[in-house]
Structure formats: structure tokens, C-alpha cells
Amino acid sequence: MILEDRVAIVTGAGQGIGRGIALKLAEKRAHVVVSDINGQTARETATEVRAFGRRALALQADVSNRAQVEKMVQATLQEFGTVDILINNAGIARSATLLKLTDKDWDEVLAVNLKGIFHTTQAVVPHMMAARHGKIVNISSIYGRTGTLGDSNYAASKAGMIGFTKSMARELARYDINVNAILPGMIDTPLLQGIPDHYLQPMIEEIPLGRVGTPEDIGNLAAFLASDEAPYITGAAIEVAGGWRM
Ligand code: NAP
């Protein structure tokens, strides 16, 4: 599975799963636009991508801001002349049970996790349509399928991502653009490291494969879906969760 000289944009790639995906794509010989709201961590991941002998461009952009997303895609086209792969990974959580959930918690999560992929997809797709080729991978969550306690805004945004993925798969199939979603379970990232141990350990015990996942576990599937070895997969929502909450 080789992504020789493909150009990939990965959002939220400064750390965690996005960084893991960016490095996996670089290992498979893609050039990577490392986009993140945090310019400093984006530059750090870009340096790691270059260590694979690939080109990297670090771009600061907030996916909830349409103007910043359009600027990021323009900068990508200026540097590389094309976009072959879009990985929509940027995401946030604002946890609270229903009665404590504020409008701000709701709006921020929906703006980044769901409206963000509308912005990035709309900015990138005209170029993929013209090329009659493209791969889009949306990083949803197992919670988009199962729901969860204390994160209804997050689960709703992640379920929305699955609906958007399937709709885009239908709309864009005739341009040879594949659109799929990955549903990670519990993955070892800074997001997870914020959860107290007494809450985390019992959840880990529920995972049939007996461990949390790694960013590389997600990167492996993202790279496969972005490759020419997955031409007949579109509109899929694939769990990478060690069997957790299957
Ligand atoms: P993370 O460690 O918090 O990394 C997310 C990255 O996205 C951070 O660099 C963050 O920057 C950036 N970001 C936040 N808001 C952004 C915005 N508006 N525009 C652009 N970038 C933004 O999270 P992660 O665990 O790697 O999660 C990555 C994705 O996987 C998310 O969509 C998450 O919902 C999903 N996921 C994660 C897990 C898990 O167990 N970790 C499970 C299921 C799904 P700052 O740090 O500066 O905010």
C-alpha cells in the first residue's frame, strides 16, 4: 500500500490521532499538509513528516472558521498544486450531562466536529471533482453509533459525521471520490490522558482486545482507505475499537 507523492491534508494533526495519521501517511510516501488550530504543534508534526523524506506544510487553521479553512486549502494548492486526500480529524469534547450542558458547550462542539467537516469538504471537493479522483476520511467516534453518558453534544456531532459521510459518498461517487468514516474506540492521546484513572480503568477492562488503541491503529486504516487498494469502499463507517462497545 503506497501513497507515492499523494498530497494529503490532515486537520488537527498537531497531536494525538491526527499526528499519528500524518506520520503514517508520510511513512507510506505521501506529502502532508499538517493543519491545526495550534500552529506550534502543527510545525512539530511537520518536522516529523519531513524526517520520512516527504514534503510537509504546517498551516494554522480553525476548522470552524470558513475563511481560515479556505485560506488553508489555497495555501495547499499553491504549494502542491493538488489535494488528493482529506482527513477530517480535528475534534473537541465539552463534557456535561444534559441538565448541565450549556448552549456554548453544544455550539462549540457542533461547530468544530460537524460544521468543520462541511467547511473543509466544501473547500477541497471542487479540486477533487476536477481531478476526478479523491479520498476523504472522517474521524468520527464509536460514540456516534452507541451514544454515551455525559457527552451527548459530542455523540450527536459524531453521529452527524456518519450521516454526512454517507451522503457525500452518494453525491461524490460519480467523480471517483471515496468518502468513509473511522469510528475509533478508546485511543491513547492527550484527550484520553485527561480522564481520571478510576474512571478509565474499568472502561479498559471492557475492551475485548484488552488495551486502548494507539494513533497508529487509526493511521493504518486511514492510510488504507486513502490508498488505491480501497477503490470499492465508500460510505462505510468502520470501528477501530478493539471490540469495545461493538
Ligand atoms: P486531541 O489529542 O485533543 O487532538 C486534537 C487536535 O485537534 C489538537 O491538536 C487540537 O488542538 C486540534 N483542534 C482542536 N480544535 C480545532 C479546530 N477548531 N480546528 C483545528 N484543529 C483543532 O484529540 P484526539 O484524541 O487525537 O482526537 C482526534 C479525533 O479523534 C477527534 O475528532 C476525536 O473526537 C476523535 N476520537 C478520539 C478518540 C480518543 O479516544 N482519543 C476516540 C474517538 C474519536 P488544541 O489541542 O490546541 O485544541
Side-chain angles (χ1 to χ4, degrees):
M1 188 227 314
I2 296 291
L3 299 171
E4 188 75 38
D5 291 338
R6 295 288 158 83
V7 175
I9 294 176
V10 186
T11 68
Q15 64 178 40
I17 291 173
R19 172 179 166 274
I21 294 171
L23 298 184
K24 183 55 66 176
L25 297 180
E27 186 190 310
K28 302 291 179 188
R29 305 197 53 76
H31 305 299
V32 185
V33 175
V34 178
S35 180
D36 201 285
I37 198 168
N38 183 333
Q40 176 57 34
T41 57
R43 285 189 287 278
E44 287 166 14
T45 301
T47 302
E48 295 181 275
V49 166
R50 290 186 198 105
F52 285 93
R54 303 286 82 197
R55 289 165 67 197
L57 183 63
L59 294 173
Q60 192 276 332
D62 174 351
V63 294
S64 69
N65 183 311
R66 176 177 288 280
Q68 289 187 25
V69 167
E70 285 172 356
K71 210 171 139 196
M72 182 265 285
V73 172
Q74 280 313 316
T76 300
L77 291 168
Q78 240 165 26
E79 177 75 14
F80 295 104
T82 186
V83 188
D84 304 299
I85 298 163
L86 170 64
I87 312 283
N88 282 311
N89 164 79
I92 59 169
R94 298 281 182 268
S95 308
T97 48
L98 178 68
L99 299 186
K100 292 181 187 149
L101 198 62
T102 64
D103 275 10
K104 188 167 177 285
D105 296 331
W106 182 272
D107 291 343
E108 282 179 5
V109 167
L110 272 287
V112 175
N113 297 7
L114 191 54
K115 199 166 185 192
I117 70 167
F118 168 52
H119 290 153
T120 53
T121 305
Q122 217 171 36
V124 158
V125 153
H127 310 285
M128 290 182 171
M129 280 174 161
R132 299 196 80 80
H133 181 75
K135 304 281 186 180
I136 300 175
V137 180
N138 296 323
I139 307 303
S140 171
S141 165
I142 191 101
Y143 289 159
R145 185 168 274 165
T146 64
T148 185
L149 294 174
D151 268 308
S152 57
N153 50 348
Y154 180 84
S157 73
K158 294 297 183 179
M161 288 179 76
I162 298 170
F164 186 74
T165 298
K166 290 177 183 289
S167 303
M168 287 303 104
R170 289 177 188 274
E171 281 191 28
L172 301 175
R174 66 185 185 279
Y175 299 98
D176 201 14
I177 300 170
N178 301 60
V179 190
N180 291 291
I182 297 177
L183 280 52
M186 220 185 294
I187 309 298
D188 191 11
T189 72
L191 192 141
L192 201 73
Q193 284 149 22
I195 301 175
D197 219 40
H198 65 270
Y199 189 68
L200 195 59
Q201 275 312 321
M203 291 204 292
I204 294 173
E205 282 160 25
E206 288 174 17
I207 302 172
L209 286 181
R211 66 168 177 89
V212 296
T214 63
E216 191 175 16
D217 289 322
I218 307 302
N220 284 327
L221 179 59
F224 172 66
L225 291 172
S227 77
D228 288 342
E229 292 191 13
Y232 200 57
I233 302 175
T234 201
I238 305 171
E239 296 175 10
V240 180
W244 191 52
R245 304 205 172 166
M246 66 179 111

